[in-house]
PDB file of all heavy atoms in Angstrom:
ATOM      1  N   MET A  10     -25.545   8.670 -10.919  1.00  0.00           N
ATOM      2  CA  MET A  10     -24.366   9.256 -10.282  1.00  0.00           C
ATOM      3  C   MET A  10     -23.893   8.449  -9.073  1.00  0.00           C
ATOM      4  O   MET A  10     -22.701   8.357  -8.818  1.00  0.00           O
ATOM      5  CB  MET A  10     -24.684  10.684  -9.838  1.00  0.00           C
ATOM      6  CG  MET A  10     -25.047  11.646 -10.975  1.00  0.00           C
ATOM      7  SD  MET A  10     -23.606  12.015 -12.004  1.00  0.00           S
ATOM      8  CE  MET A  10     -22.770  13.183 -10.965  1.00  0.00           C
ATOM      9  N   HIS A  12     -23.675   5.409  -8.694  1.00  0.00           N
ATOM     10  CA  HIS A  12     -22.940   4.191  -9.054  1.00  0.00           C
ATOM     11  C   HIS A  12     -21.506   4.486  -9.550  1.00  0.00           C
ATOM     12  O   HIS A  12     -20.720   3.571  -9.782  1.00  0.00           O
ATOM     13  CB  HIS A  12     -23.679   3.403 -10.130  1.00  0.00           C
ATOM     14  CG  HIS A  12     -25.037   2.921  -9.706  1.00  0.00           C
ATOM     15  ND1 HIS A  12     -25.197   2.048  -8.640  1.00  0.00           N
ATOM     16  CD2 HIS A  12     -26.267   3.202 -10.165  1.00  0.00           C
ATOM     17  CE1 HIS A  12     -26.488   1.805  -8.493  1.00  0.00           C
ATOM     18  NE2 HIS A  12     -27.171   2.479  -9.396  1.00  0.00           N
ATOM     19  N   ILE A  17     -15.703   2.951 -10.462  1.00  0.00           N
ATOM     20  CA  ILE A  17     -14.264   3.220 -10.346  1.00  0.00           C
ATOM     21  C   ILE A  17     -13.595   2.128  -9.520  1.00  0.00           C
ATOM     22  O   ILE A  17     -12.472   1.709  -9.821  1.00  0.00           O
ATOM     23  CB  ILE A  17     -14.034   4.609  -9.712  1.00  0.00           C
ATOM     24  CG1 ILE A  17     -14.603   5.694 -10.612  1.00  0.00           C
ATOM     25  CG2 ILE A  17     -12.524   4.847  -9.505  1.00  0.00           C
ATOM     26  CD1 ILE A  17     -14.540   7.104 -10.025  1.00  0.00           C
ATOM     27  N   THR A  27      -5.522  -7.728 -13.831  1.00  0.00           N
ATOM     28  CA  THR A  27      -4.628  -7.701 -14.986  1.00  0.00           C
ATOM     29  C   THR A  27      -3.193  -7.725 -14.518  1.00  0.00           C
ATOM     30  O   THR A  27      -2.318  -8.375 -15.133  1.00  0.00           O
ATOM     31  CB  THR A  27      -4.908  -6.455 -15.846  1.00  0.00           C
ATOM     32  OG1 THR A  27      -6.288  -6.345 -16.157  1.00  0.00           O
ATOM     33  CG2 THR A  27      -4.106  -6.526 -17.156  1.00  0.00           C
ATOM     34  N   LEU A  43       0.497  -1.449 -13.355  1.00  0.00           N
ATOM     35  CA  LEU A  43      -0.930  -1.697 -13.225  1.00  0.00           C
ATOM     36  C   LEU A  43      -1.391  -1.565 -11.784  1.00  0.00           C
ATOM     37  O   LEU A  43      -2.506  -1.091 -11.504  1.00  0.00           O
ATOM     38  CB  LEU A  43      -1.275  -3.108 -13.772  1.00  0.00           C
ATOM     39  CG  LEU A  43      -1.281  -3.202 -15.294  1.00  0.00           C
ATOM     40  CD1 LEU A  43      -1.242  -4.671 -15.730  1.00  0.00           C
ATOM     41  CD2 LEU A  43      -2.524  -2.525 -15.877  1.00  0.00           C
ATOM     42  N   ALA A  47      -4.163   0.910 -10.242  1.00  0.00           N
ATOM     43  CA  ALA A  47      -5.183   0.508  -9.261  1.00  0.00           C
ATOM     44  C   ALA A  47      -5.212   1.465  -8.076  1.00  0.00           C
ATOM     45  O   ALA A  47      -6.277   1.777  -7.532  1.00  0.00           O
ATOM     46  CB  ALA A  47      -4.928  -0.934  -8.799  1.00  0.00           C
ATOM     47  N   GLY A  55     -12.889   6.695  -3.541  1.00  0.00           N
ATOM     48  CA  GLY A  55     -13.209   7.328  -2.269  1.00  0.00           C
ATOM     49  C   GLY A  55     -13.477   8.815  -2.441  1.00  0.00           C
ATOM     50  O   GLY A  55     -14.400   9.375  -1.838  1.00  0.00           O
ATOM     51  N   ALA A  63     -22.033   9.466  -2.085  1.00  0.00           N
ATOM     52  CA  ALA A  63     -22.545   8.177  -2.556  1.00  0.00           C
ATOM     53  C   ALA A  63     -21.933   7.032  -1.772  1.00  0.00           C
ATOM     54  O   ALA A  63     -21.335   6.123  -2.321  1.00  0.00           O
ATOM     55  CB  ALA A  63     -22.248   8.018  -4.057  1.00  0.00           C
ATOM     56  N   ILE A  86       2.414 -12.076  -5.624  1.00  0.00           N
ATOM     57  CA  ILE A  86       2.898 -12.802  -6.786  1.00  0.00           C
ATOM     58  C   ILE A  86       4.160 -12.164  -7.343  1.00  0.00           C
ATOM     59  O   ILE A  86       5.106 -12.869  -7.742  1.00  0.00           O
ATOM     60  CB  ILE A  86       1.792 -12.881  -7.883  1.00  0.00           C
ATOM     61  CG1 ILE A  86       0.606 -13.677  -7.383  1.00  0.00           C
ATOM     62  CG2 ILE A  86       2.343 -13.477  -9.173  1.00  0.00           C
ATOM     63  CD1 ILE A  86      -0.573 -13.712  -8.321  1.00  0.00           C
ATOM     64  N   ALA A  95      15.674 -14.676  -8.187  1.00  0.00           N
ATOM     65  CA  ALA A  95      16.947 -14.478  -7.464  1.00  0.00           C
ATOM     66  C   ALA A  95      17.545 -15.822  -7.065  1.00  0.00           C
ATOM     67  O   ALA A  95      18.766 -15.998  -7.146  1.00  0.00           O
ATOM     68  CB  ALA A  95      16.685 -13.639  -6.209  1.00  0.00           C
ATOM     69  N   GLY A 122      -5.845  -9.614   3.710  1.00  0.00           N
ATOM     70  CA  GLY A 122      -7.268  -9.864   3.909  1.00  0.00           C
ATOM     71  C   GLY A 122      -7.678  -9.628   5.365  1.00  0.00           C
ATOM     72  O   GLY A 122      -8.715  -9.033   5.646  1.00  0.00           O
ATOM     73  N   LEU A 141       0.176  -1.100   8.709  1.00  0.00           N
ATOM     74  CA  LEU A 141       0.397  -0.594   7.364  1.00  0.00           C
ATOM     75  C   LEU A 141      -0.826  -0.834   6.475  1.00  0.00           C
ATOM     76  O   LEU A 141      -1.271  -1.986   6.364  1.00  0.00           O
ATOM     77  CB  LEU A 141       1.629  -1.317   6.755  1.00  0.00           C
ATOM     78  CG  LEU A 141       2.075  -0.857   5.361  1.00  0.00           C
ATOM     79  CD1 LEU A 141       2.610   0.560   5.412  1.00  0.00           C
ATOM     80  CD2 LEU A 141       3.133  -1.823   4.831  1.00  0.00           C
ATOM     81  N   VAL A 150       6.357  -2.923  -2.420  1.00  0.00           N
ATOM     82  CA  VAL A 150       6.766  -3.993  -3.354  1.00  0.00           C
ATOM     83  C   VAL A 150       7.103  -3.399  -4.721  1.00  0.00           C
ATOM     84  O   VAL A 150       8.197  -3.646  -5.282  1.00  0.00           O
ATOM     85  CB  VAL A 150       5.677  -5.066  -3.470  1.00  0.00           C
ATOM     86  CG1 VAL A 150       6.023  -6.061  -4.598  1.00  0.00           C
ATOM     87  CG2 VAL A 150       5.494  -5.816  -2.159  1.00  0.00           C
ATOM     88  N   SER A 162      21.155   1.615  -9.364  1.00  0.00           N
ATOM     89  CA  SER A 162      21.636   1.541  -7.975  1.00  0.00           C
ATOM     90  C   SER A 162      22.190   0.178  -7.667  1.00  0.00           C
ATOM     91  O   SER A 162      21.474  -0.832  -7.770  1.00  0.00           O
ATOM     92  CB  SER A 162      20.465   1.865  -7.036  1.00  0.00           C
ATOM     93  OG  SER A 162      20.820   1.548  -5.700  1.00  0.00           O
ATOM     94  N   SER A 167      21.732  -5.422  -5.615  1.00  0.00           N
ATOM     95  CA  SER A 167      22.173  -6.427  -4.635  1.00  0.00           C
ATOM     96  C   SER A 167      20.994  -6.969  -3.845  1.00  0.00           C
ATOM     97  O   SER A 167      20.903  -8.190  -3.584  1.00  0.00           O
ATOM     98  CB  SER A 167      23.199  -5.783  -3.684  1.00  0.00           C
ATOM     99  OG  SER A 167      23.584  -6.676  -2.669  1.00  0.00           O
ATOM    100  N   ALA A 174      16.914 -11.927   1.413  1.00  0.00           N
ATOM    101  CA  ALA A 174      16.543 -10.544   1.684  1.00  0.00           C
ATOM    102  C   ALA A 174      15.116 -10.262   1.221  1.00  0.00           C
ATOM    103  O   ALA A 174      14.315  -9.617   1.924  1.00  0.00           O
ATOM    104  CB  ALA A 174      17.519  -9.574   1.033  1.00  0.00           C
ATOM    105  N   LEU A 184       3.610  -8.703   8.087  1.00  0.00           N
ATOM    106  CA  LEU A 184       3.360  -8.535   9.536  1.00  0.00           C
ATOM    107  C   LEU A 184       3.037  -7.113   9.880  1.00  0.00           C
ATOM    108  O   LEU A 184       2.212  -6.846  10.773  1.00  0.00           O
ATOM    109  CB  LEU A 184       4.573  -9.021  10.338  1.00  0.00           C
ATOM    110  CG  LEU A 184       4.883 -10.524  10.247  1.00  0.00           C
ATOM    111  CD1 LEU A 184       6.171 -10.838  11.007  1.00  0.00           C
ATOM    112  CD2 LEU A 184       3.722 -11.327  10.800  1.00  0.00           C
ATOM    113  N   ILE A 190       0.690  -0.578  15.224  1.00  0.00           N
ATOM    114  CA  ILE A 190       1.473   0.647  15.179  1.00  0.00           C
ATOM    115  C   ILE A 190       0.606   1.755  14.590  1.00  0.00           C
ATOM    116  O   ILE A 190      -0.002   1.597  13.536  1.00  0.00           O
ATOM    117  CB  ILE A 190       2.724   0.463  14.269  1.00  0.00           C
ATOM    118  CG1 ILE A 190       3.639  -0.620  14.843  1.00  0.00           C
ATOM    119  CG2 ILE A 190       3.474   1.782  14.130  1.00  0.00           C
ATOM    120  CD1 ILE A 190       4.791  -0.970  13.939  1.00  0.00           C
ATOM    121  N   PRO A 191       0.513   2.890  15.273  1.00  0.00           N
ATOM    122  CA  PRO A 191      -0.287   4.015  14.743  1.00  0.00           C
ATOM    123  C   PRO A 191       0.407   4.674  13.557  1.00  0.00           C
ATOM    124  O   PRO A 191       1.563   5.051  13.632  1.00  0.00           O
ATOM    125  CB  PRO A 191      -0.427   4.968  15.927  1.00  0.00           C
ATOM    126  CG  PRO A 191       0.799   4.696  16.757  1.00  0.00           C
ATOM    127  CD  PRO A 191       1.095   3.249  16.592  1.00  0.00           C
ATOM    128  N   SER A 194      -3.224   8.581   8.714  1.00  0.00           N
ATOM    129  CA  SER A 194      -4.157   8.299   7.639  1.00  0.00           C
ATOM    130  C   SER A 194      -3.794   9.143   6.415  1.00  0.00           C
ATOM    131  O   SER A 194      -3.378  10.270   6.539  1.00  0.00           O
ATOM    132  CB  SER A 194      -5.604   8.612   8.088  1.00  0.00           C
ATOM    133  OG  SER A 194      -6.469   8.611   6.975  1.00  0.00           O
ATOM    134  N   SER A 201      -6.892  22.568   3.214  1.00  0.00           N
ATOM    135  CA  SER A 201      -6.231  23.449   4.184  1.00  0.00           C
ATOM    136  C   SER A 201      -5.034  22.747   4.807  1.00  0.00           C
ATOM    137  O   SER A 201      -5.053  21.542   5.034  1.00  0.00           O
ATOM    138  CB  SER A 201      -7.216  23.879   5.264  1.00  0.00           C
ATOM    139  OG  SER A 201      -6.551  24.558   6.320  1.00  0.00           O
ATOM    140  N   VAL A 215       8.320  13.220   0.053  1.00  0.00           N
ATOM    141  CA  VAL A 215       8.387  12.189  -0.986  1.00  0.00           C
ATOM    142  C   VAL A 215       8.699  12.820  -2.353  1.00  0.00           C
ATOM    143  O   VAL A 215       9.558  12.330  -3.125  1.00  0.00           O
ATOM    144  CB  VAL A 215       7.081  11.399  -1.058  1.00  0.00           C
ATOM    145  CG1 VAL A 215       7.038  10.511  -2.321  1.00  0.00           C
ATOM    146  CG2 VAL A 215       6.926  10.536   0.190  1.00  0.00           C
ATOM    147  N   ALA A 217      10.175  15.710  -2.988  1.00  0.00           N
ATOM    148  CA  ALA A 217      11.545  16.222  -3.009  1.00  0.00           C
ATOM    149  C   ALA A 217      12.543  15.084  -3.172  1.00  0.00           C
ATOM    150  O   ALA A 217      13.525  15.184  -3.929  1.00  0.00           O
ATOM    151  CB  ALA A 217      11.823  16.993  -1.723  1.00  0.00           C
ATOM    152  N   PHE A 222      16.732  12.492  -5.915  1.00  0.00           N
ATOM    153  CA  PHE A 222      17.462  11.237  -5.991  1.00  0.00           C
ATOM    154  C   PHE A 222      16.911  10.266  -7.051  1.00  0.00           C
ATOM    155  O   PHE A 222      17.528   9.235  -7.312  1.00  0.00           O
ATOM    156  CB  PHE A 222      17.437  10.528  -4.611  1.00  0.00           C
ATOM    157  CG  PHE A 222      18.076  11.345  -3.534  1.00  0.00           C
ATOM    158  CD1 PHE A 222      17.305  11.955  -2.548  1.00  0.00           C
ATOM    159  CD2 PHE A 222      19.445  11.536  -3.488  1.00  0.00           C
ATOM    160  CE1 PHE A 222      17.884  12.716  -1.545  1.00  0.00           C
ATOM    161  CE2 PHE A 222      20.042  12.289  -2.502  1.00  0.00           C
ATOM    162  CZ  PHE A 222      19.249  12.883  -1.516  1.00  0.00           C
ATOM    163  N   PRO A 228      12.041   3.058  -2.907  1.00  0.00           N
ATOM    164  CA  PRO A 228      11.874   2.095  -1.799  1.00  0.00           C
ATOM    165  C   PRO A 228      11.932   2.747  -0.414  1.00  0.00           C
ATOM    166  O   PRO A 228      11.588   2.057   0.565  1.00  0.00           O
ATOM    167  CB  PRO A 228      13.039   1.126  -2.001  1.00  0.00           C
ATOM    168  CG  PRO A 228      13.339   1.185  -3.465  1.00  0.00           C
ATOM    169  CD  PRO A 228      13.122   2.631  -3.835  1.00  0.00           C
ATOM    170  N   ILE A 230      10.061   5.298   0.426  1.00  0.00           N
ATOM    171  CA  ILE A 230       8.781   5.950   0.684  1.00  0.00           C
ATOM    172  C   ILE A 230       8.090   5.377   1.917  1.00  0.00           C
ATOM    173  O   ILE A 230       7.647   6.134   2.827  1.00  0.00           O
ATOM    174  CB  ILE A 230       7.867   5.859  -0.545  1.00  0.00           C
ATOM    175  CG1 ILE A 230       8.416   6.680  -1.688  1.00  0.00           C
ATOM    176  CG2 ILE A 230       6.437   6.341  -0.202  1.00  0.00           C
ATOM    177  CD1 ILE A 230       7.660   6.548  -3.000  1.00  0.00           C
ATOM    178  N   PRO A 232       9.348   3.314   4.429  1.00  0.00           N
ATOM    179  CA  PRO A 232      10.099   3.588   5.685  1.00  0.00           C
ATOM    180  C   PRO A 232       9.959   5.025   6.157  1.00  0.00           C
ATOM    181  O   PRO A 232       9.825   5.282   7.363  1.00  0.00           O
ATOM    182  CB  PRO A 232      11.554   3.266   5.295  1.00  0.00           C
ATOM    183  CG  PRO A 232      11.417   2.241   4.222  1.00  0.00           C
ATOM    184  CD  PRO A 232      10.226   2.657   3.439  1.00  0.00           C
ATOM    185  N   THR A 255     -16.578   9.533  13.844  1.00  0.00           N
ATOM    186  CA  THR A 255     -16.723   8.246  13.163  1.00  0.00           C
ATOM    187  C   THR A 255     -18.194   7.858  13.011  1.00  0.00           C
ATOM    188  O   THR A 255     -18.517   6.718  12.761  1.00  0.00           O
ATOM    189  CB  THR A 255     -16.016   7.153  13.964  1.00  0.00           C
ATOM    190  OG1 THR A 255     -16.582   7.112  15.287  1.00  0.00           O
ATOM    191  CG2 THR A 255     -14.524   7.422  14.031  1.00  0.00           C
ATOM    192  N   SER A 256     -19.092   8.824  13.106  1.00  0.00           N
ATOM    193  CA  SER A 256     -20.509   8.491  13.029  1.00  0.00           C
ATOM    194  C   SER A 256     -20.914   7.944  11.665  1.00  0.00           C
ATOM    195  O   SER A 256     -21.827   7.156  11.566  1.00  0.00           O
ATOM    196  CB  SER A 256     -21.353   9.753  13.321  1.00  0.00           C
ATOM    197  OG  SER A 256     -21.044  10.779  12.415  1.00  0.00           O
TER     198      SER A 256
END
Side-chain angles (χ1 to χ4, degrees):
M10 297 291 284
H12 298 299
I17 298 174
T27 309
L43 284 164
I86 295 175
L141 183 67
V150 172
S162 168
S167 176
L184 294 176
I190 299 173
S194 168
S201 171
V215 169
F222 300 107
I230 292 174
T255 59
S256 59

